[in-house]
Amino acid sequence: MAVLNGVNNKHEVVVAPMEVSVEAGNYQDAERFDDDGRPRRSGTFWTASAHIITAVIGSGVLSLAWAIAQLGWVAGPAAMLLFAFVTYYTATLLAECYRTGNPDTGKRNYTYMDAVRSNLGGAKVIFCGVIQYANLVGVAIGYTIASSISMRAIRRADCFHTNGHGDPCKSSSTPYMILFGVVQILFSQIPDFDQIWWLSIVAAVMSFTYSSIGLALGIAQTVSNGGFKGSLTGISIGADVTSTQKIWHTLQAFGDIAFAYSFSNILIEIQDTIKAPPPSESKVMQKATRLSVATTTVFYMLCGCMGYAAFGDNAPDNLLTGFGFYEPFWLLDIANVAIVVHLVGAYQVFCQPIFAFVERRANSAWPDSAFITKELRVGPFALSLFRLTWRTAFVCVTTVVAMLLPFFGNVVGFLGAVSFWPLTVYFPVEMYIKQRRVPRGSTKWICLQTLSISCLIVSIAAAAGSIADVIDALKVYRPFSG
């Protein structure tokens, strides 16, 4: 693409490498490319919001009743509101780091690592990359496990309806993980974020569907009970819960709520799908973040609080798969189908940054290789031998690990605990301070550092709770026991 710079009302044509040449008669192609020479982005406020909602509202929303049961009516909702605010605030800081310098014309940072490299540099770039991609791989494995649990719950709900609640209705989750993996191999051939906007919209609709069903069932159960259950301080220490268990579960509950909001590890990648200014990508992203976090907070509060009101201290780990409800079984089936469809989209939203990272490195290393660069376009799919081989291998590995470690959800919780502070808080705060030149020791600097240190403490505590859960799971561990 030719870049036209106006200087004293004259236009100087500067032809950058790999760009469309005006002299070649391709000036009209400039309309198809952005200021960085890449195909013009088409993302909007609505598609960005759909990506965020797909990433944020996971099936974990259904475990929030359990989290509130550990914390009680006071600390539970307060923790939700607190983490909603922290996530939104730090996301707005991070959104300003998409471009370095001028928010409309500055150099684009295509990934989270690029933003850290431009603003902080040094060893922090490697630290960011290791934490970010380890977390994304963990999420992929966790989503494989979560989808199989929902698919197995459909079979169990039908079994309970037919044979009664006394039947154990046991089944293996392994075939469902394999089925989920096959579907992901297909969708992983969609080349990038900009091409999966429709999948994110479908996934976002599904998340509202199952959240609404969980909310409705919680309200119905509360009405049936004749009032709200639960207490101000949550589960009490007694015969079934020791003081040590209460501490670990409380820490885990804080972690569950904190990480339920986390999407910063893919925020820059989502922002890179938004079409060029005006308005600036950061303004669109901040607006999308505001809508998405507000929407998810309403659903989180309603589902978590009504689930706790319905079951009190006996709130299940998952309202729809933990069989807090048995009937109507067909409604549970619809909700669990919606969970599976949502996870299909969410898996892609979280894995696309990994795919893009590896493929950019391969293209840089072997730019003339037909194995890597030659593509066949079929609708939204872009098939190349390298993409087919590498992405299929990635899906297969995450599926096998999910089958090998069916309790890996606890390990994912640990990865989430480790990544929450650096990705959601530390890097956005440090990059904002550097970019805006916030004076060291100023009131704003002290407030930002206090926020960062407080979230570090929460991350360490949540990690401790997750480690305790992993240790408990290892005591009864049997490979491929799912």
Side-chain angles (χ1 to χ4, degrees):
M1 178 180 67
V3 181
L4 302 182
N5 296 321
V7 181
N8 296 327
N9 297 321
K10 297 180 181 179
H11 294 281
E12 178 187 356
V13 179
V14 181
V15 182
M18 303 300 292
E19 295 180 336
V20 180
S21 171
V22 175
E23 290 78 6
N26 294 326
Y27 180 70
Q28 66 274 16
D29 288 348
E31 295 300 320
R32 299 191 293 109
F33 295 88
D34 274 328
D35 54 2
D36 58 347
R38 295 194 176 191
R40 187 168 292 279
R41 294 157 178 82
S42 58
T44 65
F45 161 74
W46 294 108
T47 60
S49 298
H51 285 318
I52 296 172
I53 290 172
T54 299
V56 177
I57 301 186
S59 56
V61 63
L62 303 170
S63 69
L64 291 177
W66 178 89
I68 293 182
Q70 313 310 309
L71 299 172
W73 280 116
V74 176
M80 283 193 192
L81 294 175
L82 176 62
F83 285 109
F85 171 76
V86 170
T87 301
Y88 166 70
Y89 179 68
T90 56
T92 61
L93 302 184
L94 183 57
E96 294 190 15
C97 300
Y98 173 66
R99 287 184 184 264
T100 301
N102 189 292
D104 291 331
T105 60
K107 175 184 171 295
R108 294 175 185 264
N109 296 307
Y110 303 117
T111 67
Y112 200 128
M113 281 183 68
D114 288 344
V116 174
R117 184 179 293 108
S118 296
N119 289 281
L120 302 177
K124 292 179 181 179
V125 179
I126 299 174
F127 174 56
C128 170
V130 170
I131 294 294
Q132 180 187 12
Y133 291 113
N135 178 254
L136 293 177
V137 172
V139 168
I141 295 170
Y143 279 1
T144 303
I145 297 171
S147 66
S148 70
I149 291 173
S150 287
M151 286 187 271
R152 187 169 62 173
I154 295 171
R155 180 173 179 178
R156 292 187 70 199
D158 295 347
C159 174
F160 286 139
H161 178 74
T162 304
N163 302 329
H165 301 169
D167 193 315
C169 294
K170 291 183 178 179
S171 63
S172 173
S173 61
T174 298
Y176 303 117
M177 292 187 189
I178 294 173
L179 176 61
F180 185 79
V182 170
V183 173
Q184 292 302 339
I185 288 174
L186 173 65
F187 282 111
S188 67
Q189 300 311 307
I190 299 175
D192 52 45
F193 253 134
D194 208 28
Q195 301 298 316
I196 63 170
W197 61 268
W198 58 272
L199 186 59
S200 280
I201 289 175
V202 170
V205 171
M206 291 298 102
S207 68
F208 287 130
T209 299
Y210 66 71
S211 297
S212 298
I213 291 174
L215 172 61
L217 291 173
I219 293 173
Q221 184 66 43
T222 302
V223 172
S224 176
N225 294 340
F228 283 25
K229 291 187 175 183
S231 65
L232 295 179
T233 57
I235 293 177
S236 302
I237 298 172
D240 297 328
V241 179
T242 66
S243 57
T244 302
Q245 288 175 325
K246 171 71 174 179
I247 293 172
W248 292 133
H249 288 169
T250 298
L251 294 178
Q252 185 182 349
F254 275 115
D256 286 351
I257 295 172
F259 311 131
Y261 282 102
S262 181
F263 68 97
S264 295
N265 50 353
I266 57 172
L267 184 144
I268 296 292
E269 285 80 355
I270 293 175
Q271 193 167 346
D272 191 44
T273 68
I274 297 172
K275 61 186 177 183
S280 67
E281 296 93 348
S282 62
K283 289 182 179 178
V284 175
M285 194 65 186
Q286 289 170 357
K287 185 179 176 184
T289 299
R290 183 162 57 249
L291 173 67
S292 302
V293 172
T295 302
T296 54
T297 299
V298 170
F299 270 85
Y300 282 3
M301 291 288 284
L302 289 174
C303 289
C305 292
M306 291 312 303
Y308 183 43
F311 296 102
D313 290 354
N314 295 318
D317 289 345
N318 187 309
L319 287 177
L320 299 177
T321 64
F323 288 94
F325 308 100
Y326 290 92
E327 299 291 344
F329 78 99
W330 56 267
L331 190 59
L332 291 174
D333 287 352
I334 292 174
N336 280 298
V337 167
I339 290 175
V340 174
V341 174
H342 170 259
L343 291 175
V344 168
Y347 184 103
Q348 288 300 316
V349 168
F350 278 97
C351 288
Q352 284 294 336
I354 302 175
F355 297 156
F357 174 76
V358 172
E359 286 156 23
R360 278 196 305 272
R361 290 299 182 93
N363 276 312
S364 297
W366 302 284
D368 300 322
S369 171
F371 176 75
I372 294 173
T373 60
K374 190 173 181 180
E375 291 184 347
L376 173 64
R377 288 269 176 177
V378 182
F381 301 97
L383 305 177
S384 73
L385 289 176
F386 175 68
R387 182 177 290 117
L388 181 63
T389 303
W390 131 249
R391 295 192 181 192
T392 299
F394 175 86
V395 174
C396 289
V397 169
T398 56
T399 303
V400 170
V401 173
M403 291 188 291
L404 182 65
L405 302 175
F407 65 90
F408 199 82
N410 295 330
V411 179
V412 171
F414 172 72
L415 290 173
V418 171
S419 66
F420 170 72
W421 173 69
L423 296 179
T424 301
V425 182
Y426 174 72
F427 284 123
V429 165
E430 291 300 311
M431 288 191 289
Y432 178 82
I433 289 174
K434 183 73 175 293
Q435 203 172 55
R436 292 300 182 91
R437 296 181 175 88
V438 179
R440 186 181 184 87
S442 65
T443 302
K444 190 168 189 178
W445 185 89
I446 292 173
C447 290
L448 288 170
Q449 294 298 345
T450 300
L451 172 65
S452 182
I453 293 172
S454 300
C455 290
L456 172 61
I457 294 171
V458 171
S459 271
I460 293 173
S466 297
I467 290 172
D469 268 357
V470 171
I471 292 173
D472 286 341
L474 284 171
K475 293 178 181 177
V476 293
Y477 168 66
R478 287 185 298 115
F480 298 101
S481 59

